[in-house]
């Protein structure tokens, strides 16, 4: 399945942010009915082929590339390590990339057809951006979140629908995901929490990704 040819297109643009940051977009072969914005986009944008093989509506993936320096990546993706760097990346991701996407690919989809996705540290990014911008992202897809960003005692009255997943062979990340699921449920959010047999890595996450898309955007 990993070698499946992609029917859609991949479009990469370089932005001025941080001295030059790339964004890669998977454009489905049919007009998109949903869009997922994702961190670590150099990898996640390639997962369009798995959506093509699944029974899901045509879904665009907009992937902001992540840094290879893990310390700097964490500072961009989690609001607890470097607030200034996180805020700069947040503005780039939520405003610049989204506005460019609407302009380049023909209009913005409504909140209920828009999600934010991330895995590991990217899972912290998805949670942080989704909770801070519920007017933009109607759903959060979070796989194996890191432990830096934790639930607050008081949450917003408006919360995106949230799909969390973690593996039985990654207990630290499973604990983080379970903590978030409980906190969001207690706050009144619509939450799915999946505990799967699996370990920390892309093969585990990309298998779950079409299930997340189907849950949020599946045809009626």
């Amino acid at each position: 399945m990993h070698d499946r040819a992609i029917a859609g297109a991949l479009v990469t643009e370089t932005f001025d942010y941080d001295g030059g940051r790339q964004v890669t977009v998977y454009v489905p072969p049919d007009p998109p009915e949903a869009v997922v914005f994702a961190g670590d986009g150099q990898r996640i944008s390639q997962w369009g082929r798995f959506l093509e093989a699944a029974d899901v509506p045509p879904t665009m993936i907009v992937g902001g590339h992540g840094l290879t320096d893990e310390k700097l990546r964490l500072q961009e993706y989690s609001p607890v390590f470097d607030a200034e760097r996180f805020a700069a990346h947040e503005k780039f991701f939520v405003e610049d990339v989204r506005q460019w996407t609407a302009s380049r690919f023909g209009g913005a989809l409504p909140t209920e057809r828009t999600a934010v996705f991330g895995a590991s540290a990217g899972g912290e990014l998805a949670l942080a951006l989704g909770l801070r911008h519920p007017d933009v992202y109607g759903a959060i897809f979070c796989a194996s979140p890191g432990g830096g960003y934790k639930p607050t005692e008081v949450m917003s009255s408006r919360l995106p629908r949230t799909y969390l997943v973690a593996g039985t062979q990654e207990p630290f990340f499973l604990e983080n995901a379970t903590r978030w699921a409980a906190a969001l449920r207690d706050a009144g959010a619509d939450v799915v929490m999946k505990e799967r047999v699996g370990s920390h890595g892309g093969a585990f996450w990309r298998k779950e990704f079409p299930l997340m898309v189907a849950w949020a955007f599946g045809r009626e």
Side-chain angles (χ1 to χ4, degrees), residues 64-84:
H65 288 207
L67 295 172
T68 55
D69 184 307
E70 188 61 21
K71 179 180 178 181
L72 295 179
R73 176 172 170 264
L74 284 170
Q75 290 172 352
E76 285 192 342
Y77 281 10
S78 180
V80 302
F81 298 114
D82 185 325
E84 184 176 347

Side-chain angles (χ1 to χ4, degrees), residues 11-189:
V11 177
T12 298
E13 179 82 3
T14 301
F15 291 73
D16 292 336
Y17 170 72
D18 196 39
R21 184 67 61 88
Q22 290 188 316
V23 174
T24 297
V25 179
Y26 160 75
V27 185
D30 297 317
E33 299 174 17
V35 59
V36 178
F37 290 88
D40 298 312
Q42 64 270 40
R43 291 188 296 106
I44 308 305
S45 59
Q46 311 298 317
W47 294 359
R49 60 171 54 89
F50 302 110
L51 298 185
E52 292 173 1
D55 184 21
V56 300
T59 301
M60 182 184 294
I61 304 170
V62 181
H65 288 207
L67 295 172
T68 55
D69 184 307
E70 188 61 21
K71 179 180 178 181
L72 295 179
R73 176 172 170 264
L74 284 170
Q75 290 172 352
E76 285 192 342
Y77 281 10
S78 180
V80 302
F81 298 114
D82 185 325
E84 184 176 347
R85 187 169 184 86
F86 176 85
H89 181 263
E90 177 182 30
K91 181 180 184 301
F92 163 70
F93 192 100
V94 177
E95 298 180 17
D96 300 345
V97 172
R98 186 164 57 96
Q99 291 167 6
W100 169 80
T101 301
S103 174
R104 174 67 173 78
F105 299 100
L109 288 160
T111 301
E112 60 268 21
R113 307 297 292 180
T114 302
V116 58
F117 169 81
S120 195
E124 296 184 59
L125 176 69
L127 286 164
L129 296 186
L131 295 176
R132 292 157 75 106
H133 302 278
D135 57 322
V136 174
Y137 309 108
I140 298 169
F141 302 157
C142 177
S144 310
Y149 180 50
K150 294 181 172 64
T152 56
E153 290 186 10
V154 178
M155 293 194 187
S156 169
S157 58
R158 181 178 180 182
L159 296 168
R161 303 165 66 205
T162 303
Y163 188 123
L164 292 131
V165 65
T168 55
Q169 298 168 32
E170 49 168 8
F172 171 77
F173 298 96
L174 178 58
E175 180 182 354
N176 296 334
T178 303
R179 180 192 305 118
W180 270 107
L184 288 166
R185 284 194 185 111
D186 288 347

